[in-house]
Amino acid sequence: MEEPFSFSDNLGPLKVIYVYEPSVSLKGVLVVDNVAAGPSIGGLRMAPDVSAQECFRLARAMTYKNAAAGLPHGGGKSVLFADPKSIGDEHKQQLVRAFACALAGEDHYIFGPDMGTDEVCMAWVKDEIGRALGLPRELGGIPLDEIGATGLGLACAAEVAAEFCDLEIKGARVVVQGFGAVGKHVARILGERGAILVGASDTSGTVCDPSGIDINALIAHKDSGSSLSQWKGAQVLPLDATLDIECEIWIPAARPDVIDEANVKRLHTRLVIQGANIPVTHGAERRLHERSVLNIPDFIANAGGVICAAMEYQGASEAAAMQAIEEKVRRNTREVLTRARDEQLLPREAALNLATSRIEAAMRTRRWSLF
Ligand code: NAD
């Protein structure tokens, strides 16, 4: 077990709770990082290889993301130590329900879906303790992957960022690494706004056409269950070929750490919009900055999903959620890029300063901060 308080600092975590119930092989951890702005939100992750420290890092990332998005929520995260692929539906349901019950009194934390859990898991949590977001539509949920909440936010971030690097979205060439829930929708929305998709990848490989890919046809192909390497409408290249395709906007929407100091020189783009979480290492972000490639950090650009989930929790309509994503991501991207330009900072430094100043301002209003 990690040393208690080994990862605490001025922002948190407020609580770390270990849950252990051997009769159902339940082992879980909840980290409530910071609740100055309101009850924390952050997903329930189910995976065999997580740790309390990782849970804390994920909770802190949610504190920053929610503060940067201007939501009335702090950051939290919970993890269940189990392999969702091998335990079977019945045991999965038992674990999720038992974990929710064990944390029923922790109303500083609102469950949401994450890796290894989904909207059905959230329906079980809601059934047990009445407190969950990312619910099925029948329970008032807004299906954020289906409607493209995160993709919409990324497209808005790209539009604002384009102004800061003298770029027109109309006619801009776009490459999307990871043509999944996030990648498909950002390609579709940027396409509707005049951009041209010249490259896209999934785990099977990369498709590339410098004259432009038919985005709706590619989405229909992918939705039919086929992989991109089976696409006949463009040249098929190896998996990592997305890095070499010349474009104006490059969007990582697959995995963490895909761009590092060794491969960053392969990117030929003017703008990077981070769809995945931590897809670019800090060293690579610095290299991009030195090459005048504008880079919009993950927790600013990909906040559409959490904004949508927070709106769902408030009982908002789908249309209101989409409008909130547009407004918040545009405003935050503009604020971060203005600060970065005026204060000579990397966009990530400006984004962290923005988030931290909002968290500290909220903390100053809390009773315990007076002592
Ligand atoms: P997804 O599973 O729907 O799609 C991921 C896609 O990436 C798949 O098509 C997969 O084949 C592809 N992929 C995986 N590894 C790859 C690789 N090495 N090279 C190229 N393609 C690869 O997932 P998603 O919901 O679209 O999420 C994508 C990323 O964005 C994840 O890192 C996720 O944590 C992050 N994210 C998602 C949301 C959201 O709203 N879904 C919000 C914020 C951040």
Side-chain angles (χ1 to χ4, degrees):
M1 190 187 291
E2 282 95 345
E3 180 66 23
F5 305 109
S6 62
F7 40 84
S8 35
D9 61 17
N10 290 344
L11 300 183
L14 176 69
K15 285 185 187 179
V16 180
I17 298 173
Y18 290 82
V19 179
Y20 181 49
E21 179 48 70
S23 64
V24 288
S25 305
L26 165 63
K27 280 189 200 164
V29 179
L30 166 68
V31 176
V32 177
D33 183 41
N34 187 294
V35 295
S40 66
I41 55 180
L44 165 59
R45 177 165 294 195
M46 187 184 283
D49 56 351
V50 282
S51 65
Q53 176 123 24
E54 185 186 338
C55 187
F56 161 67
R57 283 176 52 226
L58 295 165
R60 175 57 54 86
M62 290 309 299
T63 300
Y64 287 135
K65 187 183 280 196
N66 296 339
L71 297 174
H73 291 287
K77 200 85 181 182
S78 56
V79 295
L80 271 171
F81 296 81
D83 183 352
K85 292 201 180 89
S86 66
I87 58 172
D89 277 356
E90 206 170 311
H91 191 199
K92 184 173 183 179
Q93 181 168 173
Q94 188 180 39
L95 288 183
V96 170
R97 284 184 182 272
F99 192 47
C101 287
L103 299 172
E106 295 303 327
D107 56 6
H108 275 142
Y109 175 65
I110 303 163
F111 283 86
D114 192 65
M115 273 166 52
T117 63
D118 58 13
E119 57 185 35
V120 176
C121 298
M122 292 307 110
W124 299 331
V125 173
K126 176 103 196 282
D127 184 39
E128 294 293 341
I129 65 169
R131 209 174 61 240
L133 43 75
L135 293 164
R137 212 188 267 278
E138 302 73 44
L139 297 182
I142 304 176
L144 58 93
D145 280 343
E146 192 183 308
I147 65 175
T150 302
L152 173 64
L154 292 173
C156 294
E159 282 188 325
V160 173
E163 292 172 32
F164 284 76
C165 58
D166 224 2
L167 185 70
E168 289 276 333
I169 293 293
K170 194 167 167 24
R173 295 168 299 172
V174 178
V175 171
V176 176
Q177 183 196 52
F179 208 63
V182 172
K184 280 187 298 194
H185 284 290
V186 65
R188 173 181 60 77
I189 298 165
L190 283 175
E192 286 162 3
R193 297 176 186 188
I196 300 162
L197 184 70
V198 294
S201 64
D202 66 7
T203 45
S204 73
T206 298
V207 291
C208 171
D209 185 345
S211 64
I213 294 169
D214 181 338
I215 299 170
N216 288 333
L218 193 66
I219 291 174
H221 171 80
K222 190 74 182 148
D223 287 349
S224 73
S226 305
S227 62
L228 289 193
S229 62
Q230 294 166 309
W231 174 248
K232 301 278 181 256
Q235 191 184 5
V236 176
L237 300 170
L239 184 60
D240 73 340
T242 42
L243 273 69
D244 306 304
I245 301 172
E246 210 170 296
C247 61
E248 280 72 43
I249 305 175
W250 198 83
I251 302 175
R255 313 268 319 145
D257 297 328
V258 290
I259 300 296
D260 55 25
E261 283 176 85
N263 65 12
V264 65
K265 53 182 168 304
R266 289 171 57 187
L267 291 184
H268 301 284
T269 187
R270 290 173 59 193
L271 196 52
V272 174
I273 307 288
Q274 299 187 5
N277 294 319
I278 45 167
V280 184
T281 66
H282 291 324
E285 286 193 340
R286 192 161 286 284
R287 294 284 100 75
L288 288 172
H289 186 67
E290 286 160 6
R291 284 169 45 198
S292 303
V293 175
L294 195 53
N295 167 47
I296 311 304
D298 45 8
F299 67 95
I300 297 298
N302 74 16
V306 77
I307 295 170
C308 186
M311 292 294 285
E312 173 196 305
Y313 197 70
Q314 289 167 24
S317 67
E318 193 173 308
M322 296 304 253
Q323 194 180 343
I325 294 167
E326 284 248 7
E327 283 171 13
K328 285 180 184 293
V329 175
R330 276 182 198 285
R331 193 180 58 224
N332 290 325
T333 306
R334 188 173 302 284
E335 192 168 336
V336 164
L337 292 181
T338 304
R339 274 186 188 222
R341 182 191 61 202
D342 296 350
E343 297 170 29
Q344 299 285 298
L345 299 170
L346 294 188
R348 181 169 297 277
E349 292 166 342
L352 281 173
N353 289 352
L354 169 79
T356 307
S357 62
R358 285 183 185 166
I359 298 161
E360 287 173 349
M363 287 173 81
R364 283 194 292 277
T365 69
R366 306 292 290 207
R367 176 153 51 115
W368 302 123
S369 69
L370 298 175
F371 299 97

